[in-house]
Amino acid sequence: MHRCTLSKEKLAAQPGGEWTHSVSAGFLKTLGCLELLSVVGLILPAVLDIAPVMVPVTAVCWVLLLTGAMITRGRLGQVKLVAGDAAYFAIAVFVAYGRFVIEPFSS
């Protein structure tokens, strides 16, 4: 299940879910839906050839989201989860840099 569909209580019970106690259920649903939309934004524009520039733009947004996640997890002492977020962060930087600089989609 994803954050967009899980209740706040179920998210809080998962490993690393301690941070959910300090935010509203609406914030959690919004965050989860934004994560799902980011997956769509990373894949569909290039596949459908509709506004492919949205791929690196979405990757930059994902970098910003993961920066916040790493800061939050770091403050909570969740070092293993920070490492996982750092891996996704590196992939998002790779996609953004690769599609903006190395091999941009042709207009």
Side-chain angles (χ1 to χ4, degrees), residues 34-63:
L34 287 173
E35 290 175 352
L36 289 175
L37 287 172
S38 68
V39 170
V40 171
L42 284 170
I43 298 169
L44 285 184
V47 171
L48 300 176
D49 197 28
I50 299 172
V53 73
M54 289 307 298
V55 172
V57 170
T58 303
V60 169
C61 292
W62 190 242
V63 165

Side-chain angles (χ1 to χ4, degrees), residues 5-56:
T5 58
L6 286 178
S7 70
K8 184 175 177 176
E9 294 75 26
K10 287 184 181 179
L11 283 170
Q14 292 182 350
E18 298 85 22
W19 66 274
T20 60
H21 295 295
S22 62
V23 298
S24 70
F27 176 81
L28 288 174
K29 297 282 184 198
T30 302
L31 185 60
C33 291
L34 287 173
E35 290 175 352
L36 289 175
L37 287 172
S38 68
V39 170
V40 171
L42 284 170
I43 298 169
L44 285 184
V47 171
L48 300 176
D49 197 28
I50 299 172
V53 73
M54 289 307 298
V55 172

Side-chain angles (χ1 to χ4, degrees), residues 93-107:
V93 168
F94 175 77
V95 170
Y97 183 75
R99 285 302 179 185
F100 272 135
V101 178
I102 298 173
E103 190 69 37
F105 287 110
S106 59
S107 301

